Amino acid sequence: PHPRTQTGGWTTVTVMPGVGAGPELADLMIEVMECAGAPLYYEIVRPEKSEKEFEHMLQSLKRNGVAIKGNIESKSLTELFMEPSKNMRIKRTMDLFIDVIECKSFPGLEKLMRVHKHLDIVVMRQNIEGEYTLMEHEVIRNMFENVQITTYYNTKRVCEYAFNYARDKQRSKVTLLHNQDVNPLTEDLMKKAFDDVAYKYPLIKSEKFSVNHGLKMLVKDAKSWDIVVTNSVLGSIIASIIFGMIGGPALAAEANIGEKYKVFESAFRNRNISLAGKDVVNPTGTILSGVLALEVLGYNKQASIIRLALEEIFMEGKALTRDLGGKATSKEFVRILVQKIRNLACYVHCKYDAVPQIPPRPPKPPPYDPNLYM
């Protein structure tokens, strides 16, 4: 579904900067998008401040259809013991049933990649079921119960999205990674739903492996995976492993997809409270979350310009942030990125353009004298 709020050919998206370093990263992301010529308006909401603001955010997302977010949970893990986080409440309220994580290595960062020099894998996991059902409670003192719910309906939706994504993006293979030895019933249900969907896509290769065997395959061959479908917890673990292979989670973004709404965020979801205001956080993941939003909205030209500029900056290796072995600050990284974007999108005007020099006004002519030519 397309966003619902458009004005004069421009699209409005909801932006949730989040806590910690989130606001400064959101500002840098918007700066990059504007310099690439993205025709977007940004509706800034701060759902972490109060329940009233959280409700305003939900109304904004329902109105606009697309959102870009940071980590909006201001509470610590201890404080979240009795209630789900706001990040999870968004997913369940808006029925964002699948999490799509694009894990692609950048050329120029091979020194950070100790297993494979090139990876291009998409991890898709359940977003509102399994461990994310959030039905954990204390039965009696010091005894806890964690109820996991897996349904055929939602599992089939995840598999259908994976195969449709493979068809649209011209991907060749979809692999299901399961843990049937530990959870025989729920994992068997996932395998059944996967087979029912795979039968409808004969041109796309489908595979099923245990997660242990699948990881061994990945270590041996970088091309053993293309699109991976798995449950909620395994998906998080697998994505974290791949992040370690490509150079870190700050180099990737993910999409929370539902039937009507889409929310994009950096794969690096640490709150970064201790780093707020220090200008040291790598903004690549946040920028890529904006790129994913552009691609969903159909602004592929602007999205490709930003992707090309990122590849150039990593190939040069002169403006890397600290997590990548460089010394550049977040703003220095973005400033050089914007220079490359301006070279690729020379038709776009942004705040970095030089102010045109207006010539001085010519002097006034002398007053008319009727006797001058007599």
Side-chain angles (χ1 to χ4, degrees):
H2 296 287
R4 303 174 183 177
T5 307
Q6 288 191 335
T7 304
W10 286 51
T11 303
T12 302
V13 298
T14 302
V15 177
M16 297 170 260
V19 299
E24 56 193 89
L25 293 177
D27 289 341
L28 293 175
M29 181 269 297
I30 293 174
E31 182 179 319
V32 170
M33 304 268 275
E34 288 178 346
C35 288
L40 299 180
Y41 293 121
Y42 305 95
E43 184 175 354
I44 310 295
V45 292
R46 303 301 298 269
E48 70 276 6
K49 290 186 175 182
S50 65
E51 281 298 314
K52 185 176 181 180
E53 290 294 328
F54 185 83
E55 292 299 324
H56 288 169
M57 178 275 300
L58 293 179
Q59 293 299 321
S60 174
L61 180 54
K62 291 177 181 179
R63 181 169 57 250
N64 299 325
V66 173
I68 305 169
K69 67 178 285 291
N71 191 329
I72 63 170
E73 187 49 70
S74 58
K75 297 181 180 180
S76 65
L77 293 177
T78 304
E79 295 173 316
L80 290 172
F81 177 73
M82 297 302 295
E83 59 179 299
S85 70
K86 290 181 178 179
N87 292 302
M88 284 302 305
R89 286 171 60 190
I90 292 176
K91 297 175 183 180
R92 296 186 64 81
T93 304
M94 310 308 290
D95 189 31
L96 306 177
F97 64 90
I98 183 172
D99 189 14
V100 182
I101 311 170
E102 295 186 356
C103 308
K104 186 176 182 180
S105 57
F106 283 97
L109 298 180
E110 288 81 3
K111 63 180 180 180
L112 301 176
M113 304 174 64
R114 300 181 180 179
V115 181
H116 301 297
K117 299 303 180 184
H118 177 73
L119 282 173
D120 186 4
I121 300 171
V122 181
V123 178
M124 300 187 182
R125 63 178 177 84
Q126 292 175 324
N127 218 15
I128 57 176
E129 289 195 339
E131 295 282 354
Y132 290 173
T133 306
L134 303 179
M135 296 183 65
E136 185 178 40
H137 59 279
E138 187 174 11
V139 182
I140 59 175
R141 181 178 174 83
N142 294 330
M143 180 181 292
F144 298 88
E145 183 178 44
N146 186 356
V147 179
Q148 302 181 40
I149 295 179
T150 302
T151 64
Y152 178 84
Y153 170 72
N154 278 322
T155 304
K156 186 179 180 181
R157 283 203 296 174
V158 170
C159 296
E160 285 177 341
Y161 186 89
F163 279 92
N164 287 329
Y165 183 98
R167 180 194 59 199
D168 297 340
K169 301 290 185 177
Q170 297 182 351
R171 296 269 184 165
S172 61
K173 180 170 59 176
V174 179
T175 302
L176 173 69
L177 295 181
H178 59 82
N179 195 19
Q180 194 172 14
D181 294 337
V182 177
N183 301 313
L185 296 179
T186 55
E187 297 297 299
D188 186 66
L189 177 66
M190 177 173 283
K191 290 170 66 176
K192 182 180 184 302
F194 182 84
D195 289 337
D196 292 345
V197 175
Y199 178 76
K200 302 176 183 178
Y201 298 83
L203 299 180
I204 301 175
K205 184 179 179 181
S206 61
E207 299 176 335
K208 300 190 296 292
F209 299 108
S210 68
V211 64
N212 295 330
H213 182 68
L215 287 172
K216 292 177 183 178
M217 294 171 58
L218 176 62
V219 172
K220 293 180 180 179
D221 183 10
K223 297 182 180 180
S224 60
W225 293 358
D226 191 357
I227 295 177
V228 174
V229 177
T230 186
N231 63 32
S232 55
V233 173
L234 286 182
S236 296
I237 296 172
I238 290 169
S240 297
I241 293 173
I242 301 176
F243 293 154
M245 292 182 176
I246 66 174
L251 297 174
E254 58 185 83
N256 300 279
I257 304 296
E259 300 288 348
K260 297 181 179 180
Y261 312 107
K262 297 175 176 60
V263 178
F264 304 94
E265 60 184 323
S266 170
F268 184 60
R269 289 175 289 179
N270 192 302
R271 294 188 297 170
N272 292 318
I273 292 179
S274 61
L275 301 178
K278 295 184 178 180
D279 196 23
V280 296
V281 181
N282 187 343
T284 304
T286 305
I287 294 170
L288 286 174
S289 66
V291 171
L292 293 179
L294 287 175
E295 291 172 344
V296 163
L297 295 171
Y299 303 127
N300 295 308
K301 185 174 183 179
Q302 292 85 348
S304 62
I305 287 174
I306 298 175
R307 287 189 183 274
L308 287 173
L310 284 170
E311 290 181 3
E312 288 185 11
I313 202 171
F314 289 130
M315 285 290 289
E316 290 182 359
K318 297 179 180 179
L320 302 181
T321 50
R322 295 182 183 181
D323 60 312
L324 302 178
K327 297 181 180 180
T329 64
S330 306
K331 293 180 181 178
E332 290 172 348
F333 178 89
V334 168
R335 184 168 62 250
I336 296 177
L337 178 64
V338 166
Q339 292 175 359
K340 298 188 177 301
I341 290 174
R342 292 177 65 199
N343 293 334
L344 296 168
C346 54
Y347 58 89
V348 177
H349 297 284
C350 67
K351 70 177 186 179
Y352 288 95
D353 291 326
V355 178
Q357 297 295 326
I358 302 176
R361 179 175 296 179
K364 292 183 179 180
Y368 175 71
D369 184 1
N371 299 321
L372 182 62
Y373 299 103
M374 295 299 292

